[in-house]
Amino acid sequence: MRRLDTPELLDEHDAPAEDVERSLRDLQRFNRYCGGTRVYRAIVRRLAGSNPFVIDLGAGTADLVDSLGGRGVAVDWNIRHLIYRKPRAWRVVADARQLPFRDNAADAVTSSHFFHHFTPEENAQILRESLRVARVGVAFTDTRRHVAPLLFTLLLRWFHLVGRITAFDAPASVRRGYTTSEVREIAPSAIVENYFPFRWAMLLRK
């Protein structure tokens, strides 16, 4: 399946608030029931132990960094995503390609379902910046580009089980996604593994 870099509606600045809030709820449900939270917690703890201080990129509502149970920083470019709920994590509006943190500011820099938003060149830049900020390393995870998750997201749309934005964005994000081999090309020194269901995870140590 060829990668198609189609912009997603949630990335728009002027999306209606009601649609944005429904999409954020949909994303929280995906994390809870489709393996996002489980895989995120597993790889972060594998990299940085049981109680790390992390900076999470593209954090949205910060539900994943909060799931670690400790302190952390939720970074997102859109303040509306960060203020949707009141997380335990500190919240920072910033560009992942130019992080406003000092060197070794956190144990690890993390992300989930974020990598696909960027070109290979942009992701290489994000990884370099993340390694600068991380003391131990980087733990990223995302959906693998594959026909099975694409069909799943299309079924959710056909049966009206998600909001308007998610109905468009979920299939688009699968089409924008990377395969495991493509991630390895972007980060040759990283450990990149497949996780059920149809997720990849990257561990990159300093």
Side-chain angles (χ1 to χ4, degrees):
M1 198 169 81
R2 186 168 59 91
R3 183 174 186 264
L4 297 176
D5 195 2
T6 304
E8 299 175 35
L9 298 180
L10 192 60
D11 293 337
E12 297 177 353
H13 285 281
D14 58 351
E18 181 178 344
D19 288 342
V20 170
E21 290 177 3
R22 174 62 192 272
S23 180
L24 293 174
R25 291 197 301 272
D26 289 337
L27 288 170
Q28 288 179 334
R29 289 164 55 205
F30 280 139
N31 285 335
R32 186 178 302 119
Y33 299 116
C34 297
T37 302
R38 173 180 54 81
V39 174
Y40 175 83
R41 292 174 64 177
I43 65 166
V44 172
R45 288 174 173 165
R46 178 176 165 188
L47 175 72
S50 60
N51 190 32
F53 181 85
V54 306
I55 295 172
D56 189 47
L57 308 180
T61 64
D63 56 309
L64 288 178
V65 64
D66 277 354
S67 76
L68 296 174
R71 298 172 303 132
V73 179
V75 174
D76 203 287
W77 69 273
N78 192 327
I79 193 171
R80 290 201 292 175
H81 301 171
L82 293 172
I83 65 174
Y84 170 68
R85 59 185 282 272
K86 187 176 176 65
R88 292 192 298 272
W90 293 315
R91 293 165 284 181
V92 174
V93 177
D95 185 337
R97 292 163 293 191
Q98 192 171 7
L99 294 170
F101 306 109
R102 60 176 173 78
D103 295 356
N104 301 319
D107 295 318
V109 175
T110 68
S111 76
S112 177
H113 207 60
F114 182 64
F115 202 81
H116 69 271
H117 286 273
F118 300 94
T119 66
E121 295 75 20
E122 289 171 326
N123 277 315
Q125 181 183 356
I126 289 169
L127 285 170
R128 288 193 297 271
E129 184 69 350
S130 297
L131 286 173
R132 177 187 69 79
V133 170
R135 183 181 61 83
V136 177
V138 171
F140 287 179
T141 178
D142 207 337
T143 303
R144 280 190 287 141
R145 189 176 75 250
H146 191 278
V147 67
L150 177 61
L151 289 175
F152 174 71
T153 59
L154 291 173
L155 284 172
L156 293 176
R157 181 169 74 188
W158 292 334
F159 286 102
H160 304 287
L161 297 175
V162 292
R164 181 186 70 87
I165 288 179
T166 307
F168 178 86
D169 283 2
S173 68
V174 175
R175 293 187 179 103
R176 293 177 90 182
Y178 291 90
T179 64
T180 306
S181 60
E182 289 168 345
V183 176
R184 291 191 181 112
E185 289 178 5
I186 297 169
S189 58
I191 298 171
V192 185
E193 299 172 336
N194 292 328
Y195 281 77
F196 178 85
F198 295 100
R199 300 187 73 84
W200 59 258
M202 171 205 300
L203 296 177
L204 182 57
R205 296 182 181 273
K206 293 188 76 167

